[in-house]
Structure formats: structure tokens, C-alpha cells
Amino acid sequence: MEESECRALDNKEVNFMAEVFKNSEVIKMTGIGKTYKMGSSEYVALKNIDLTIHKSEFVAIIGPSGAGKTTLMNIIGCLDTPTQGEYILDGINTKCSDNKLAEIRNSKIGFIFQNYNLLPRLSIIENVELPLLYMNIASREIRERALEAIRKVGLEFHIKHKPTELSGGQMQRVAIARALVTKPQILLADEPTGALDSKTGKEILQILKDLNDEGNTIVLITHDMNIASEAKRIITIKDGEIISDVPNEKFYKGVSVCS
Amino acid sequence: MAATSIWANKMRSFLTMLGIIIGISSVIVLVGIGEGTRKQVQNQIEKLGTNLITVNLTGRRNVGLSNSEIEELKTKPGIKSIAPSLQSSVNLKAGTKTYSTTLEASTPEYSEIRKINVSSGRFITKRDVENRYQVAIVGIDVANELYGTTNVVGQSMQVNGVSFTIIGVLEPQGSSMGGSGDDRIIVPLSTAQRLLKNTEIRTFYIEASSKDEVNNAKGYLELFLSKKFKNDTNSYRVFDQTSLLDTANETSKSMTMMLSGIAAISLIVGGIGIMNIMLVSVIERTREIGIRKAVGAKRRTILVQFLIESAGISCLGGIIGVLVGFLTAHGIKTLLKMPVSISGIVVVGSVTFSVVVGIIFGMYPASKASKLNPIDALRFE
Ligand SMILES: Nc1ncnc2c1ncn2[C@@H]1O[C@H](COP(=O)(O)OP(=O)(O)OP(=O)(O)O)[C@@H](O)[C@H]1O
Ligand SMILES: [Mg+2]
């Protein structure tokens, strides 16, 4: 390659690359739809969504209010089930029992909500430990892993505090630590900066970017184009459909296979 | 986790527990009183001797047992001794004091058969009976009423206007079923028959030679009496202490059952209180349930969490109830001088029962919580 000479990949190489690519599929959705029934009327919130997300991607989902972003996120996170289509998460078909879905949420998904959703009566460390309590691990390891996650978001001096004693940005860091603590396949963030001022929002975004650099797969929902522009791939949803799905040029400008 | 949540709502948890506390403490106290009374009765019956057989003649005609019949019965195997007994109420007078009490007339055997002893003086002898001596043994209540002291041997008093000499004072008996054993006088049978102008003896106390002989002796007596009364089984009654014990046990058992029933109802009411509060708690904590589910709590985990909480509340209520019951029972024992006996089984049983109540009445709210849909729960304000 020193000679900067382009050569077509041979068949074997193509197959190999395809295999690697396929193995790194974390999310694979085909024909996903969601219809809400409200009395006699029906509301189609999502229709015919085909979406594949690979390991270590950083995807932003944007779209106008009511487009179906949260609905899609809930389905990705196995909080909700689609009414049509097939969704394979990390090789597992999510059309399965309630118990199995709880296990998936526990071990494969890390949620970060706009309103943090911390338990007010528990301390910071206890909040972060929460997902680990539902796994089968020893209490010493629980404490260690929770501390490690809290250190990652820079809150190790506040572990005994209650969430209400923290600022919004700090609460969102706790939520990120809680999402991280199980080392999930994907981090799902639904407008994580929506309740924060732009400076704190940037800090949170930076944490997410660092996590992505470490190899975490991140799906982020946002209204804010500035935030979306930090993602490597941007998906736009409107009226329950994906209307565009493009790599962020900022990251790929000037990158080509041949030099 | 459950403990934190109980503690966070101290006042509410306490009010919820109140039903259980009241229920359990009343179980402890009521069953304690029932059990105490039963034990006391049993003690008294056993003190009277388990070899005792009582014959009551209830026929209308004057058909008492003749002396020769009594002597004949005495020789029968299994029968040790017989004491005929006559009871009547009489008026006593000593100096200016008057008092009415129960007169019991019998023979020297009475002392042994009924396990009655004198604390001073002597009991009736054969000579007293043969000679119709006007002598009496008095209970301590009688002595105190008439003389203000129990040191009364040798004193004389009037019984229905006839002068008697006091030859002995009974040992304190304590109260038993059917009045105080200290409030009576005992006189020789023959003397009483003349005094009361009554020769009709309707009660006989018989001592079997041993506990194992009681049934034999009873059977023989029944045979004898049925022959004498020409198969009219209504004219006599033969019973021993075992049947008395059984009756007493039966009575107290049904009383205890009834009390337990009342207590069980109050526990159920307490359980409904728990269910009520747990339902409110589920609604209040919908968001918490949603968050827990979102991070991976399974239905069963949520169910168990709420069950532990309601069982915890009711168990704590049960323990407090036991303590309150203990204190109340102790108060009743010392202040009202009532026999109270609390057994470990009742304590363990009632705490267990309250936990069961908690689990049963927590089941519905807990299952409701566990079935919440996570997104709906997260969206709940
Ligand atoms: N439980 C529900 N029952 C009925 N309709 C629902 C339900 N949840 C969502 N919807 C509808 O589905 C549509 C998509 O909702 P969704 O929350 O996914 O939008 P969104 O893109 O996240 O909007 P926003 O940016 O405002 O958060 C909306 O029109 C909403 O009214
Ligand atoms: Mg939304």
C-alpha cells in the first residue's frame, strides 16, 4: 500500500469483511412498526423501520416532536414491544418472555433518561448499584463496580449524597454511571441534555463521546442539531418513518479507502 | 430495602400496624386468661385427688344408702372408703356477731377423701359421729368473720340456734369452683341430721384404692345403684375427677376457640389495613417500580420486594403486639389477680400468623406492582 496503489478486494477478503461486519451487529430491526390503540381509533407511531446498528457506533436520532423517537428508543431498549416486525438484539430475538426481557434490559442495555429517573430515597452509590442487585454477583464486587462507574463520571466525592442534593448535570452523571455499571452492549440516551444548560449539556456529551471512544455503542436522541452533529451517524425520523440515515460528514470528510 | 421504606413512612407504617398490634395483643391476653383459668381449674381438680368418685342421688323418694349398704360397698374391691355428705346453709352466731355460711356434714373419712386438713385442733372422729357431739370445724373465713381471728379452737357458737364447740380450723383452701372452701363449717354427720331434721343423704364421696381402680370402682357403683334404683338411671349420678377435668377442659377449650375467633377477625381487619396501605404505596411508588424494571428487575423481584415489605410491617406489628400483650397480661395478673398463662406456642404462633396475614394481604398489591408496564410506570407523575 506504500505505493498508494488501489487494488480490488478479492472474494475471500470480501466474505471475511462481511462476516466481521455481521458479527458486530448489535441491533438489527426489520419492518418494525408500532401502533397504539386508543379505544376504537388507532395511532401509528412507527412504521416499517429497518435499522442496523453496529458495535462502537455513535448514532444520533433526530426528528420533530411526536415523530416517534422515544417510541423507537423504548423498543430498542426492550421497555416496549413492537406490534410488527422483528428485532434482534445482540443475536437474541426479542420476541420473548417478560423475564427474558428484564434480563436483557439488565445486562445488555444502559438507559439514560432526560429526567434522570434516579430513586430519591437511595444514595448515589446505591442508585448506581441498583442494576447490579438484579444480577447474580457478590456484594463486594457490586460495590467495586459501582465505585468504578462513579469514578468514570467524576463523582467519587459524592457517593453518600442523595440525588436531590446534586445539580442536574451531576444527577445525569449518576444516571450515566448507573447505565454503565453493567457494561451493557448499548447505551441509550433519550435527550440526556434536554433538561440541562448548554455548558453542562456539553460536558455530558463529552462523557458520552469518551465512552464511545472506549468502544461503547451509543444511541442518542436529541432535538439539538449541535449535539447531533457530534455523532458519527445521524438518523432522521418523521411521522414514524426513517427519512434519512447518513454518516456524519464531519468525521468522514477526506477519508477514503484509497489514498 | 423494605426496612428503609417502612422507616421512611414511620407514622403510616405504625398506623398500618395498629390493627395487627391490637389483634395480636388481644390474642395473647385472651388466650393467656383462658389458659390460666384452665390451668387453675385443673390444679384444683387434681388437688382434690384423682381417685375421687362422687355419687349424687337425685331421685325424689327418700332412698339414701343405709349404713349396712355403705359398709357393704366399702368391702368391694377398688373402693377404699366412703364419706356420706350433707350440705345446707346455716346461720351462725357468736356473741353478738351473726353470719350465714354453708354447713357440710360428714364422717371422719371425709378428711382423707377430700384432702382436707385442719391447721389447728382436730377433725371429726368416729366418737363425734357415734355420740352426736355438737362440735364443728370452721373455715378461716368463718373464724375471721365471727371472731376476727383464726385462733378459735375451744370457742363456742350457735348453729341455727344450737350451741356447738369449735374443735378445729381448716387449712386455708383458697377459692375454687362453686365458692370458697374457707367459707364453711364441717360437723359430724349424725349431729347435722338431727339439727337439720334431715336424714336424707344425697351425696357420697368415694375414694378408689388407686387411680387405675377408679373405673372399676365406678363401674361397680353404677351396677349397684342401677340394681337399687331398678334401672332408673335418672335417680343417681356417678362421676369422677377425670370427667370433671374433661368438662372443664372442654369448656375452656371452647372459650379459647371463641376468643381466638374474635382475635382472628381483628387480625383480618388488620390485614385489610395492610392491603389498603400497600395499594396506596404501589401507586405512590409507580415510578420507582418503573425505574427498577427499566434497569432489569423481574416481575418476581418486584413481587418479593413488596411482599417482604408487607410481611415486615405485619411481623413488626406482631412483635409489638406480643410485647403489648405481655405487658397487659402482666398488668391483669397483678392488678386484677387473675390467673394468666402465656405459652411460647401462642407467641410464636401469633407472630407467624401475623406474617402470614401480611403475605396474604400483601399478595394483591404486590402482584399489581409486579405487573406494571415499565414505560407506563416511568411516565407516571
Ligand atoms: N402510550 C401511548 N399511547 C398513545 N399514543 C402514544 C403513546 N406513546 C406515544 N404516543 C404517540 O406516539 C407519537 C410518537 O411519540 P414519541 O414519544 O415517540 O415522540 P418523540 O419523537 O419522542 O417526541 P418528543 O421529541 O416530543 O419527545 C406521539 O404522537 C404520541 O402521541
Ligand atoms: Mg421523546
Side-chain angles (χ1 to χ4, degrees), chain A residues 36 74 79-80 98-99 102-103 105-106 111 113 115 117-119 121-122 130-131 133-134 178, chain B residues 1 5 8-9 285 287-288 291-299 301 305 373-375 378-379:
Chain A
Y36 288 113
N74 286 339
L79 275 175
D80 205 354
D98 218 69
N99 257 350
E103 265 172 41
R105 287 197 294 270
N106 187 217
F111 277 106
F113 300 94
N115 54 358
N117 275 337
L118 301 174
L119 291 183
R121 282 215 286 266
L122 301 187
L130 198 62
L133 297 182
Y134 301 121
R178 182 181 64 190
Chain B
M1 225 150 34
S5 132
N9 288 308
R285 289 157 67 189
R287 222 185 153 74
E288 173 188 335
I291 294 171
R292 288 182 185 274
K293 284 199 151 187
V295 300
K298 292 178 186 169
R299 274 192 189 176
T301 327
Q305 183 194 339
N373 178 341
I375 352 171
L378 279 173
R379 208 177 277 144

Side-chain angles (χ1 to χ4, degrees), chain A residues 9 30 62 108 116 123-124 159 192-193:
Chain A
L9 296 169
T30 29
I62 57 171
K108 301 203 178 293
Y116 326 124
S123 68
I124 299 313
I159 59 167
T193 60

Side-chain angles (χ1 to χ4, degrees), chain A residues 64-71 73-74 114 190-191 221 223:
Chain A
S65 189
K69 303 184 295 291
T70 300
T71 308
M73 172 75 95
N74 286 339
Q114 175 173 2
D190 191 350
E191 306 200 31
I221 290 182
H223 272 122

Side-chain angles (χ1 to χ4, degrees), chain A residues 43-172:
Chain A
Y43 182 84
V44 180
L46 289 178
K47 48 192 167 219
N48 212 21
I49 302 277
D50 293 322
L51 175 64
T52 305
I53 295 176
H54 293 270
K55 208 164 165 32
S56 301
E57 275 199 89
F58 190 161
V59 183
I61 298 177
I62 57 171
S65 189
K69 303 184 295 291
T70 300
T71 308
L72 177 61
M73 172 75 95
N74 286 339
I75 291 173
I76 294 175
C78 295
L79 275 175
D80 205 354
T81 47
T83 44
Q84 285 108 41
E86 188 189 56
Y87 170 28
I88 312 282
L89 172 69
D90 198 28
I92 302 166
N93 192 329
T94 58
K95 217 179 178 78
C96 55
S97 73
D98 218 69
N99 257 350
K100 187 77 193 154
L101 285 181
E103 265 172 41
I104 293 174
R105 287 197 294 270
N106 187 217
S107 60
K108 301 203 178 293
I109 311 263
F111 277 106
I112 301 158
F113 300 94
Q114 175 173 2
N115 54 358
Y116 326 124
N117 275 337
L118 301 174
L119 291 183
R121 282 215 286 266
L122 301 187
S123 68
I124 299 313
I125 182 94
E126 286 168 331
N127 264 289
V128 176
E129 283 171 351
L130 198 62
L132 299 176
L133 297 182
Y134 301 121
M135 297 179 125
N136 227 339
I137 40 184
S139 58
R140 250 196 63 188
E141 199 192 333
I142 289 181
R143 191 42 61 109
E144 273 167 21
R145 283 174 70 170
L147 280 173
E148 188 192 319
I150 289 178
R151 240 176 259 127
K152 239 181 195 150
V153 296
L155 276 179
E156 56 269 40
F157 304 113
H158 297 83
I159 59 167
K160 290 267 146 51
H161 287 240
K162 292 279 155 74
T164 44
E165 297 159 17
L166 302 182
S167 71
Q170 286 171 323
M171 283 198 267
Q172 197 57 295

